Amino acid sequence: MRYILLLTIAFLAVNTPAYSQMDAYREFRAQPSVPPYGLPKIKALISKIKPQSDEDNSDMGISPLSTKDYDALSLREKFTYAMIHPEMYAQNCAIFVPQAKEDQKIFGYLISWMNEETWSNRQLEFLEKNRDSVMAIIKESVTRSKRMGVNYKDALVEINAWEMIPFLISYYKKNKKDKDVLTTLMLLMKKGNYADFVKSQSYKNLYGVADNYESSMTFNKANEALTLQRAQAYFHSKKPDAPTN
């Protein structure tokens, strides 16, 4: 019996790690950050929400807090609410298919973390209107937790937070497992229509004719260095007086 058990353990040790490692990395990519600001209160309010379908019985709808409850939240509480509860939902047929060796790729887009949900107009307006505060809160939260969830990265891209490039680079250098930071940097350069990036082969490969949400390029030292170098140059093109790291 003991011999069979040892053989089973040996078999799993040989055959399981490759799949498990890929699975774990995908889970790591898709994991959002959970802000602590008013979290118990926000969770209690969310638990009372009743989703509302569109009148045309489509697969779209909204699951919002009442205007009264939403307006009563502080800025930080609204941030927590947006990061853990996107209000809009809709059927989504564009599902990310797991790929082999994801940890050896730099993707053109961030992985979906909201399932079939997305931020509502009022949540997007909140993020944009409070852009400086959102950047400061994310910086504060990431510095404390040492973790930048995909929802934080998504928010930075949404508000076009190019000012966060030095912080993103600094974070990446300490957390090189998180290759989606490189994706975030490229999305910021794309959003800013940074000429040196838009004209590059990397841009054509990721966002050109064959542009799709699963496009990627190989992660290697050259592509890593080039992405960081371009992002730094983009930042300095926007803020020439900033000190060079």
Side-chain angles (χ1 to χ4, degrees):
M1 182 69 181
R2 185 180 178 186
Y3 178 71
I4 294 175
L5 179 61
L6 289 173
L7 281 178
T8 302
I9 293 173
F11 175 82
L12 291 173
V14 170
N15 293 281
T16 301
Y19 176 78
S20 298
Q21 184 177 348
M22 184 187 78
D23 215 36
Y25 184 67
R26 167 161 278 258
E27 187 175 327
F28 169 79
R29 293 182 65 212
Q31 186 176 13
S33 290
V34 179
Y37 318 109
L39 186 58
K41 173 183 173 181
I42 300 300
K43 284 185 173 179
L45 288 170
I46 291 173
S47 69
K48 297 176 182 176
I49 293 176
K50 295 180 179 178
Q52 305 163 18
S53 298
D54 270 4
E55 293 181 355
D56 60 359
N57 291 322
S58 68
D59 292 321
M60 297 180 63
I62 189 166
S63 56
L65 280 180
S66 69
T67 302
K68 179 182 177 182
D69 284 342
Y70 184 77
D71 289 345
L73 298 178
S74 68
L75 187 151
R76 284 177 179 262
E77 289 169 343
K78 286 177 180 172
F79 175 78
T80 295
Y81 176 65
M83 292 300 110
I84 68 172
H85 183 76
E87 291 184 328
M88 294 292 297
Y89 63 89
Q91 189 175 45
N92 180 13
C93 297
I95 300 173
F96 279 74
V97 178
Q99 297 186 29
K101 300 180 180 179
E102 287 189 9
D103 59 335
Q104 297 174 36
K105 297 178 179 179
I106 305 172
F107 287 89
Y109 291 95
L110 297 168
I111 195 170
S112 173
W113 61 277
M114 295 191 255
N115 296 319
E116 294 187 333
E117 299 170 325
T118 187
W119 284 313
S120 66
N121 286 337
R122 77 172 175 180
Q123 289 180 308
L124 291 171
E125 288 171 3
F126 163 78
L127 294 173
E128 184 61 38
K129 183 179 178 181
N130 298 282
R131 187 171 176 276
D132 289 347
S133 296
V134 168
M135 288 191 287
I137 291 171
I138 289 177
K139 188 180 291 187
E140 173 188 308
S141 179
V142 171
T143 300
R144 181 183 58 250
S145 67
K146 315 298 183 189
R147 164 89 176 120
M148 184 181 293
V150 63
N151 51 346
Y152 282 8
K153 299 182 186 88
D154 228 358
L156 294 178
V157 173
E158 186 64 46
I159 63 176
N160 193 16
W162 61 268
E163 299 96 324
M164 291 285 283
I165 287 175
F167 181 78
L168 285 164
I169 292 175
S170 174
Y171 169 79
Y172 173 71
K173 289 181 177 178
K174 298 171 186 171
N175 302 273
K176 291 206 169 186
K177 176 184 176 182
D178 194 348
K179 297 177 180 63
D180 280 345
V181 177
L182 301 174
T183 300
T184 306
L185 292 170
M186 290 192 293
L187 287 172
L188 288 173
M189 288 189 281
K190 179 177 183 286
K191 194 147 192 168
N193 200 29
Y194 179 48
D196 285 359
F197 179 54
V198 171
K199 295 175 182 175
S200 70
Q201 189 60 47
S202 301
Y203 185 93
K204 292 175 183 174
N205 291 342
L206 295 174
Y207 311 111
V209 177
D211 176 19
N212 70 64
Y213 276 75
E214 296 178 4
S215 296
S216 65
M217 63 183 185
T218 302
F219 173 80
N220 54 40
K221 289 295 181 185
N223 284 334
E224 176 193 50
L226 191 56
T227 302
L228 296 177
Q229 179 187 349
R230 281 187 180 134
Q232 279 186 322
Y234 172 53
F235 173 75
H236 285 288
S237 74
K238 301 276 286 184
K239 198 168 184 178
D241 297 335
T244 303
N245 292 331

